[in-house]
């Protein structure tokens, strides 16, 4: 470690860690069974891997050239853009995959939230139908009682 400065080691660890996350995400994408699973395993690369690489580059440049506001601002804007664009792109691509009717792995449950919501709607509908049935039955009883008199 004679020739390494602390900032170089820190930058190397950050950059290699980010690159490792990107590599693991790429390998996971190859193993995914459908497009929605591919979108899901892409998240660590875009959300953590690439920002770690940017932070590592910022640490390296700061250690080599000294602190500059311009470098900090570029790194912050780049990280914000990566997070925002990757989340929007992932959401848009996942919706497009789902709406296209692409085949899904049977283990993929894209409607977990919709199923939970429809369960509430079904229970509300069944409650309404039970109430209407009860009111109809009570009305028939009242009508029968009036006709019997």
């Amino acid at each position: 470690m004679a020739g390494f400065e602390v900032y170089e080691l820190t930058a190397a660890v950050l950059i290699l860690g980010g690159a490792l996350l990107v590599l693991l995400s790429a390998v996971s994408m190859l193993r995914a069974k459908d497009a929605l699973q591919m979108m899901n395993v892409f998240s660590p690369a875009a959300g953590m891997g690439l920002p770690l690489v940017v932070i590592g580059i910022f640490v390296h440049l700061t250690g080599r050239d000294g602190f500059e506001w311009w470098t900090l601002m570029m790194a912050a804007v780049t990280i914000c853009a990566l997070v925002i664009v990757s989340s929007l792109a992932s959401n848009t691509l996942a919706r497009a995959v789902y709406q296209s009717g692409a085949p899904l792995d049977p283990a993929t449950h894209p409607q977990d939230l919709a199923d939970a919501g429809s369960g509430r709607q079904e229970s509300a509908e069944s409650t309404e139908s039970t109430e209407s049935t009860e009111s109809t039955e009570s009305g028939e009883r009242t009508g029968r009682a009036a006709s019997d008199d």
Side-chain angles (χ1 to χ4, degrees):
M1 288 223 13
F4 278 109
E5 297 283 333
V6 173
Y7 78 89
E8 290 175 333
L9 182 62
T10 305
V13 168
L14 289 169
I15 292 170
L16 288 174
L20 182 64
L21 278 172
V22 172
L23 177 65
L24 290 174
S25 293
V27 170
S28 298
M29 285 179 73
L30 292 174
R31 298 185 58 162
K33 295 181 173 105
D34 63 20
L36 289 178
Q37 289 178 0
M38 285 183 190
M39 294 304 304
N40 191 32
V41 299
F42 177 69
S43 297
M48 279 291 284
L50 296 176
L52 278 176
V53 171
V54 172
I55 292 169
I57 292 170
F58 171 73
V59 168
H60 173 73
L61 291 175
T62 301
R64 186 187 71 185
D65 301 333
F67 179 78
E68 294 180 13
W69 284 102
W70 178 249
T71 308
L72 176 64
M73 196 166 55
M74 282 192 322
V77 167
T78 302
I79 291 170
C80 289
L82 282 170
V83 171
I84 291 169
V85 170
S86 69
S87 63
L88 290 173
S90 295
N91 188 13
T92 302
L93 289 171
R95 289 185 79 156
V97 166
Y98 180 71
Q99 291 177 350
S100 72
L104 299 177
D105 182 48
T108 301
H109 299 288
Q111 291 294 329
D112 284 346
L113 293 175
D115 291 343
S118 67
R120 286 188 213 129
Q121 286 177 342
E122 288 174 8
S123 66
E125 290 171 1
S126 66
T127 304
E128 289 175 6
S129 65
T130 304
E131 289 173 358
S132 66
T133 305
E134 289 173 357
S135 66
T136 305
E137 289 174 357
S138 67
E140 288 175 2
R141 286 187 206 133
T142 308
R144 283 188 208 143
S147 63
D148 287 342
D149 286 338

